[in-house]
Amino acid sequence: SSGNGEIRFTGLTENIYYMKEVDAPVGYELSEQIYKVTFENNRGRIELYPASETAGETQEDVTAVQSGPITTITNEIAKQTIDIVKVDEKGDPLDNAVFTLVADTLMAQGNYAFEEKDYTSGASGRSGVVIENLELPYGTYTLTETKQPEGYQAVGTITLTVDGTGITANGTDGEYNLEPVGVAGTTPTSYSLKVINVKGSLNEITLTKIGDQ
Protein backbone atom coordinates (compact mmCIF):
# COMPACT_ATOMS: atom_id res chain seq x y z
CA SER A 1 0.00 0.00 0.00
CA SER A 2 1.12 3.58 -0.64
CA GLY A 3 1.65 6.29 1.94
CA ASN A 4 -2.03 7.22 1.75
CA GLY A 5 -3.12 3.59 2.12
CA GLU A 6 -4.06 2.95 -1.51
CA ILE A 7 -3.36 -0.32 -3.33
CA ARG A 8 -3.20 -0.21 -7.11
CA PHE A 9 -2.99 -3.18 -9.49
CA THR A 10 -2.07 -2.66 -13.11
CA GLY A 11 -1.93 -4.91 -16.17
CA LEU A 12 -4.72 -7.22 -15.03
CA THR A 13 -6.50 -9.27 -17.64
CA GLU A 14 -10.19 -10.13 -17.32
CA ASN A 15 -10.14 -12.94 -14.77
CA ILE A 16 -10.82 -13.87 -11.14
CA TYR A 17 -8.13 -13.13 -8.55
CA TYR A 18 -7.78 -13.78 -4.83
CA MET A 19 -6.16 -11.30 -2.47
CA LYS A 20 -4.91 -11.78 1.09
CA GLU A 21 -2.72 -9.66 3.35
CA VAL A 22 0.66 -11.25 4.02
CA ASP A 23 2.34 -8.41 5.93
CA ALA A 24 0.48 -5.90 8.12
CA PRO A 25 1.56 -2.31 8.79
CA VAL A 26 3.60 -1.90 11.99
CA GLY A 27 1.34 -1.89 15.04
CA TYR A 28 -1.62 -3.52 13.31
CA GLU A 29 -3.05 -7.04 13.34
CA LEU A 30 -2.45 -9.20 10.28
CA SER A 31 -5.81 -9.83 8.61
CA GLU A 32 -6.68 -13.42 7.69
CA GLN A 33 -9.49 -12.21 5.43
CA ILE A 34 -9.63 -13.35 1.80
CA TYR A 35 -10.88 -11.08 -0.98
CA LYS A 36 -12.11 -12.31 -4.34
CA VAL A 37 -11.42 -9.80 -7.11
CA THR A 38 -13.36 -10.20 -10.34
CA PHE A 39 -12.13 -8.09 -13.24
CA GLU A 40 -14.31 -7.88 -16.31
CA ASN A 41 -15.51 -5.23 -18.77
CA ASN A 42 -12.64 -3.03 -17.57
CA ARG A 43 -14.15 -2.88 -14.09
CA GLY A 44 -13.27 -4.62 -10.85
CA ARG A 45 -15.51 -6.16 -8.21
CA ILE A 46 -14.33 -7.26 -4.77
CA GLU A 47 -16.10 -9.85 -2.60
CA LEU A 48 -15.28 -10.67 0.98
CA TYR A 49 -14.83 -14.37 1.81
CA PRO A 50 -14.57 -16.20 5.17
CA ALA A 51 -11.07 -16.26 6.65
CA SER A 52 -11.26 -20.06 6.82
CA GLU A 53 -11.17 -20.36 3.04
CA THR A 54 -7.86 -21.13 1.40
CA ALA A 55 -6.14 -18.41 -0.60
CA GLY A 56 -6.66 -19.18 -4.27
CA GLU A 57 -10.08 -20.77 -3.74
CA THR A 58 -11.87 -21.16 -7.07
CA GLN A 59 -15.03 -23.04 -6.12
CA GLU A 60 -18.00 -21.09 -7.37
CA ASP A 61 -20.29 -22.45 -4.64
CA VAL A 62 -18.38 -20.61 -1.89
CA THR A 63 -20.73 -17.99 -0.48
CA ALA A 64 -19.37 -14.49 -0.08
CA VAL A 65 -19.71 -12.83 3.32
CA GLN A 66 -20.11 -9.46 1.67
CA SER A 67 -20.36 -8.51 -1.99
CA GLY A 68 -18.73 -5.47 -3.59
CA PRO A 69 -18.02 -2.89 -4.27
CA ILE A 70 -15.63 -2.90 -1.30
CA THR A 71 -13.44 0.17 -1.46
CA THR A 72 -11.95 0.20 2.06
CA ILE A 73 -10.13 -2.61 3.86
CA THR A 74 -9.57 -1.99 7.57
CA ASN A 75 -6.75 -3.27 9.77
CA GLU A 76 -7.34 -3.61 13.50
CA ILE A 77 -4.81 -1.94 15.80
CA ALA A 78 -2.72 -4.60 17.58
CA LYS A 79 -3.12 -4.52 21.37
CA GLN A 80 -2.26 -6.36 24.56
CA THR A 81 -4.45 -6.35 27.69
CA ILE A 82 -3.19 -5.49 31.18
CA ASP A 83 -4.45 -5.55 34.76
CA ILE A 84 -2.62 -3.54 37.45
CA VAL A 85 -3.03 -4.23 41.16
CA LYS A 86 -1.66 -2.31 44.15
CA VAL A 87 -0.42 -4.41 47.10
CA ASP A 88 1.78 -4.16 50.19
CA GLU A 89 4.83 -6.28 50.98
CA LYS A 90 2.61 -9.12 52.19
CA GLY A 91 0.54 -9.11 49.00
CA ASP A 92 -2.50 -7.53 50.62
CA PRO A 93 -4.38 -5.02 48.41
CA LEU A 94 -3.95 -1.29 48.99
CA ASP A 95 -6.52 1.35 48.10
CA ASN A 96 -6.30 5.09 47.39
CA ALA A 97 -3.07 5.02 45.41
CA VAL A 98 -3.28 7.27 42.34
CA PHE A 99 -1.46 6.56 39.07
CA THR A 100 -1.15 8.25 35.70
CA LEU A 101 -0.57 6.24 32.53
CA VAL A 102 0.92 8.14 29.60
CA ALA A 103 1.69 6.88 26.08
CA ASP A 104 5.27 7.77 25.13
CA THR A 105 5.36 6.15 21.67
CA LEU A 106 2.68 4.38 19.64
CA MET A 107 3.81 2.00 16.90
CA ALA A 108 0.73 2.19 14.68
CA GLN A 109 0.28 5.09 12.29
CA GLY A 110 -3.15 6.59 11.84
CA ASN A 111 -5.71 8.93 13.33
CA TYR A 112 -6.16 7.51 16.80
CA ALA A 113 -5.12 8.56 20.28
CA PHE A 114 -4.57 6.83 23.60
CA GLU A 115 -6.69 8.27 26.41
CA GLU A 116 -4.37 9.43 29.18
CA LYS A 117 -5.98 9.72 32.61
CA ASP A 118 -5.60 9.04 36.34
CA TYR A 119 -6.39 5.68 37.94
CA THR A 120 -7.07 5.10 41.65
CA SER A 121 -6.68 1.72 43.32
CA GLY A 122 -9.96 0.45 44.75
CA ALA A 123 -12.06 3.03 42.88
CA SER A 124 -13.86 0.27 40.94
CA GLY A 125 -15.05 -1.35 44.17
CA ARG A 126 -12.42 -4.09 43.94
CA SER A 127 -9.78 -3.54 46.59
CA GLY A 128 -6.30 -2.86 45.24
CA VAL A 129 -7.33 -2.89 41.57
CA VAL A 130 -5.87 0.07 39.69
CA ILE A 131 -6.57 -0.97 36.08
CA GLU A 132 -8.59 -3.90 34.78
CA ASN A 133 -8.77 -5.27 31.23
CA LEU A 134 -7.16 -2.18 29.69
CA GLU A 135 -6.18 -2.70 26.04
CA LEU A 136 -2.85 -1.08 25.19
CA PRO A 137 -1.88 -0.55 21.54
CA TYR A 138 1.71 -1.57 20.75
CA GLY A 139 4.14 1.06 22.02
CA THR A 140 5.77 2.30 25.23
CA TYR A 141 4.03 3.81 28.26
CA THR A 142 5.01 5.46 31.54
CA LEU A 143 3.13 4.50 34.71
CA THR A 144 3.66 7.00 37.54
CA GLU A 145 2.36 6.86 41.09
CA THR A 146 1.33 10.42 41.91
CA LYS A 147 -0.16 9.62 45.32
CA GLN A 148 0.77 6.68 47.51
CA PRO A 149 -1.41 5.14 50.26
CA GLU A 150 -0.96 6.87 53.61
CA GLY A 151 2.00 5.49 55.54
CA TYR A 152 3.69 3.96 52.48
CA GLN A 153 6.59 4.98 50.30
CA ALA A 154 5.93 5.93 46.68
CA VAL A 155 7.24 3.62 43.97
CA GLY A 156 9.39 4.85 41.10
CA THR A 157 8.12 5.30 37.57
CA ILE A 158 7.50 2.16 35.52
CA THR A 159 8.00 1.83 31.76
CA LEU A 160 5.68 -0.59 29.98
CA THR A 161 6.72 -1.96 26.58
CA VAL A 162 3.89 -3.51 24.56
CA ASP A 163 4.52 -5.51 21.38
CA GLY A 164 3.76 -8.80 19.66
CA THR A 165 5.68 -10.79 22.28
CA GLY A 166 3.63 -9.44 25.18
CA ILE A 167 4.19 -6.76 27.83
CA THR A 168 7.37 -6.05 29.81
CA ALA A 169 7.78 -3.65 32.70
CA ASN A 170 10.92 -1.92 33.97
CA GLY A 171 11.03 0.70 36.68
CA THR A 172 13.47 2.97 38.42
CA ASP A 173 13.19 0.46 41.28
CA GLY A 174 14.12 -2.47 39.02
CA GLU A 175 12.46 -4.96 36.71
CA TYR A 176 8.88 -6.04 37.34
CA ASN A 177 7.45 -9.49 36.68
CA LEU A 178 4.18 -9.58 34.79
CA GLU A 179 1.99 -12.62 35.25
CA PRO A 180 0.55 -13.98 32.00
CA VAL A 181 -3.18 -14.67 32.24
CA GLY A 182 -4.66 -17.54 30.24
CA VAL A 183 -4.37 -21.26 29.63
CA ALA A 184 -0.89 -22.73 30.10
CA GLY A 185 0.85 -23.48 26.81
CA THR A 186 -1.23 -20.98 24.85
CA THR A 187 -0.74 -17.31 24.00
CA PRO A 188 -1.67 -15.22 27.09
CA THR A 189 -4.94 -13.33 26.83
CA SER A 190 -3.67 -10.59 29.16
CA TYR A 191 -0.98 -9.69 31.69
CA SER A 192 -1.20 -8.83 35.37
CA LEU A 193 1.19 -6.38 37.07
CA LYS A 194 1.49 -6.09 40.86
CA VAL A 195 2.91 -2.81 42.12
CA ILE A 196 4.23 -3.14 45.68
CA ASN A 197 4.39 -0.33 48.24
CA VAL A 198 6.56 -0.69 51.33
CA LYS A 199 5.86 0.93 54.66
CA GLY A 200 7.31 4.40 55.03
CA SER A 201 10.04 4.88 57.68
CA LEU A 202 9.73 7.45 60.42
CA ASN A 203 12.10 10.39 60.32
CA GLU A 204 14.84 10.09 62.93
CA ILE A 205 15.46 13.04 65.27
CA THR A 206 18.72 13.35 67.12
CA LEU A 207 18.68 15.28 70.45
CA THR A 208 21.91 16.57 71.91
CA LYS A 209 22.11 17.54 75.57
CA ILE A 210 23.96 20.83 75.94
CA GLY A 211 23.58 21.47 79.67
CA ASP A 212 21.63 20.82 82.82
CA GLN A 213 18.47 22.74 83.39
Side-chain angles (χ1 to χ4, degrees), residues 36-73:
K36 178 182 178 182
V37 182
T38 303
F39 186 63
E40 57 186 359
N41 299 324
N42 293 321
R43 300 192 66 176
R45 173 187 177 87
I46 297 178
E47 295 176 300
L48 185 62
Y49 275 74
S52 61
E53 298 299 334
T54 305
E57 174 65 63
T58 58
Q59 295 179 10
E60 293 301 323
D61 58 352
V62 175
T63 303
V65 176
Q66 177 183 345
S67 293
I70 298 173
T71 58
T72 302
I73 298 173

Side-chain angles (χ1 to χ4, degrees), residues 80 164-167 178-191:
Q80 299 280 7
T165 64
I167 303 177
L178 282 90
E179 227 177 275
V181 179
V183 179
T186 64
T187 302
T189 55
S190 63
Y191 293 82

Side-chain angles (χ1 to χ4, degrees), residues 2 15 30-31 53 66 71 95 103 110 115 149 152 187 202 209:
S2 64
N15 209 330
L30 179 66
S31 174
E53 298 299 334
Q66 177 183 345
T71 58
D95 292 336
E115 183 182 4
Y152 288 84
T187 302
L202 296 175
K209 185 176 181 180

Side-chain angles (χ1 to χ4, degrees), residues 123-137:
S124 65
R126 297 186 60 189
S127 187
V129 174
V130 180
I131 289 173
E132 190 171 23
N133 294 327
L134 179 64
E135 293 185 331
L136 297 178

Side-chain angles (χ1 to χ4, degrees), residues 67-142:
S67 293
I70 298 173
T71 58
T72 302
I73 298 173
T74 304
N75 277 92
E76 298 293 332
I77 293 175
K79 301 174 182 178
Q80 299 280 7
T81 304
I82 192 170
D83 300 329
I84 298 177
V85 180
K86 187 68 170 175
V87 297
D88 63 13
E89 294 169 285
K90 297 179 180 178
D92 295 327
L94 293 173
D95 292 336
N96 302 316
V98 181
F99 289 85
T100 58
L101 183 62
V102 177
D104 300 317
T105 60
L106 294 173
M107 294 175 63
Q109 300 177 355
N111 296 321
Y112 76 98
F114 175 75
E115 183 182 4
E116 300 173 355
K117 63 178 184 179
D118 293 340
Y119 298 89
T120 302
S121 61
S124 65
R126 297 186 60 189
S127 187
V129 174
V130 180
I131 289 173
E132 190 171 23
N133 294 327
L134 179 64
E135 293 185 331
L136 297 178
Y138 288 4
T140 58
Y141 302 80
T142 298

